[in-house]
Amino acid sequence: MPSIVLIDGKVIPKLGFGVFQVPESATEAAVMSALEVGYRSIDTAAAYSNETEVGTAVRKSGLPRDEVYLTTKLWNADQGYDSTLRAFDASMERLGLDYLDLYLIHWPVAAADRYLDTFRAFQALKSQGRVGSIGVSNFKVEHLERVIGETGETPVLNQIELHPNLVQAQLRAFHAEHGIATEAWSPLGQGTVLKDPVIARIAQEAERTPAQVVIRWHIQLGNIVIPKSVTPSRIQENFDVFSFELTPDQMREITALDSGTRTGPHPDTFTVGLDV
Ligand SMILES: NC(=O)c1ccc[n+]([C@@H]2O[C@H](COP(=O)([O-])OP(=O)(O)OC[C@H]3O[C@@H](n4cnc5c(N)ncnc54)[C@H](OP(=O)(O)O)[C@@H]3O)[C@@H](O)[C@H]2O)c1
């Protein structure tokens, strides 16, 4: 599995498995299926209500802990220094782990102005050795600049909505300038981009499926990518993206599908869980 080295020296697989909207009852089977296929990175969150089942699947797989990269996220309601430390303990309890590879602030909720204290708590968890790497999700340039300026530490990664209809050129350029890894959420646009005729034609040319083409586009752009599926055949299909390459023209054509269209909430207005 190809991986990238984060600015803190830790290594993260380029392809992971996301479990947003996977019901608790289906999570263990989906994660087991992903681990059997070869995925070695799982992306969950306190807000997904399936951390317990993710942890169970990882333990039942029998894989050594250090062979599986686990990410979870701090929910909005828990932002703040002390509440972050408590929420971390609760997530680790549910996951059944004593070490987390990557902890992310799920949303900035800038109007509540607690993300700096939250990140300072993340720094404490990292210095205690309980978390390998600390990063953020859904942060805009202004939020990243503030974290870097006020805490003296650059988040290793920003997990953002990113797919062919939302290419995020400006944010990716800022990330590149600062050594921040870009991780793409809803990398398939929750399935919407798979119906695009340009993607369909390139899939035909490459003798691959539309999902494989889109995931491959992410990998070649340099993104970390975490597609979700509860369908075993798709879990397998989405993993088989390392034995072909898109041409520069195909890459350009897919990137040109950018329309600024989101499938999920906007970071400016998403404040669920926090009174602002
Ligand atoms: N940080 C954040 O705020 C945030 C927000 C959203 C998501 N995320 C993370 O990003 C992960 C991925 O995003 P997402 O779940 O929103 O959407 P996604 O991965 O872009 O798309 C998932 C949808 O595509 C379908 N699908 C998957 N593979 C397919 C294939 N090969 N062919 C056809 N359809 C396919 C799935 O259907 P089936 O499952 O029915 O097969 C599901 O409906 C999440 O699971 C989560 O870990 C993070």
Side-chain angles (χ1 to χ4, degrees):
M1 163 61 66
S3 53
I4 69 161
V5 182
L6 300 169
I7 44 168
D8 62 5
K10 302 277 194 324
V11 177
I12 181 171
K14 281 191 179 174
L15 176 64
F17 184 69
V19 295
F20 175 47
Q21 288 175 332
V22 180
E24 283 165 60
S25 58
T27 301
E28 191 183 313
V31 174
M32 287 292 267
S33 171
L35 294 172
E36 270 160 31
V37 164
Y39 293 80
R40 288 293 178 269
S41 170
I42 312 293
D43 180 83
T44 184
Y48 301 170
S49 298
N50 56 20
E51 289 175 307
T52 304
E53 292 73 18
V54 167
T56 303
V58 170
R59 272 190 305 284
K60 282 196 181 168
S61 75
L63 288 163
R65 172 67 190 89
D66 62 1
E67 281 185 27
V68 185
Y69 191 97
L70 280 170
T71 301
T72 195
K73 313 185 193 83
L74 176 101
W75 182 233
N76 298 346
D78 296 315
Q79 283 213 30
Y81 192 92
D82 292 335
S83 44
T84 293
L85 298 179
R86 284 194 296 273
F88 176 77
D89 285 342
S91 275
M92 297 305 275
E93 180 86 13
R94 287 189 292 269
L95 286 162
L97 300 178
D98 52 15
Y99 174 82
L100 182 70
D101 296 280
L102 177 64
Y103 204 24
L104 303 179
I105 304 179
H106 206 146
W107 291 89
V109 200
D113 199 15
R114 292 196 206 162
Y115 63 81
L116 288 178
D117 280 345
T118 303
F119 196 74
R120 290 188 182 105
F122 275 28
Q123 289 179 295
L125 291 166
K126 195 180 92 168
S127 68
Q128 291 162 16
R130 303 187 69 198
V131 176
S133 298
I134 54 177
V136 295
S137 178
N138 298 303
F139 274 43
K140 294 170 59 178
V141 166
E142 69 220 49
H143 311 132
L144 292 167
E145 279 175 335
R146 200 153 164 248
V147 170
I148 297 165
E150 301 274 336
T151 72
E153 181 157 355
T154 303
V156 297
L157 175 153
N158 190 14
Q159 185 184 113
I160 54 172
E161 181 174 352
L162 205 175
H163 44 73
N165 293 148
L166 187 71
V167 172
Q168 298 268 27
Q170 190 207 358
L171 199 44
R172 283 192 297 114
F174 182 87
H175 291 170
E177 216 176 292
H178 292 267
I180 301 169
T182 300
E183 186 166 51
W185 67 252
S186 293
L188 308 174
Q190 298 208 331
T192 55
V193 299
L194 304 179
K195 297 182 196 91
D196 188 285
V198 171
I199 305 276
R201 183 189 31 82
I202 293 174
Q204 247 183 348
E205 285 168 13
E207 298 182 343
R208 296 286 167 162
T209 67
Q212 288 172 328
V213 164
V214 173
I215 295 167
R216 183 69 209 179
W217 171 81
H218 281 286
I219 301 277
Q220 286 183 222
L221 265 192
N223 300 336
I224 298 161
V225 58
I226 47 170
K228 168 264 178 187
S229 177
V230 291
T231 314
S233 59
R234 290 173 171 176
I235 294 173
Q236 169 88 57
E237 173 188 328
N238 296 349
F239 190 73
D240 184 13
V241 292
F242 295 106
S243 57
F244 75 107
E245 213 168 307
L246 297 169
T247 66
D249 279 347
Q250 290 169 333
M251 286 295 294
R252 269 192 292 276
E253 276 190 274
I254 299 172
T255 303
L257 297 175
D258 187 19
S259 55
T261 310
R262 290 179 188 268
T263 61
H266 194 290
D268 283 346
T269 49
F270 191 75
T271 59
V272 173
L274 259 182
D275 289 332
V276 293

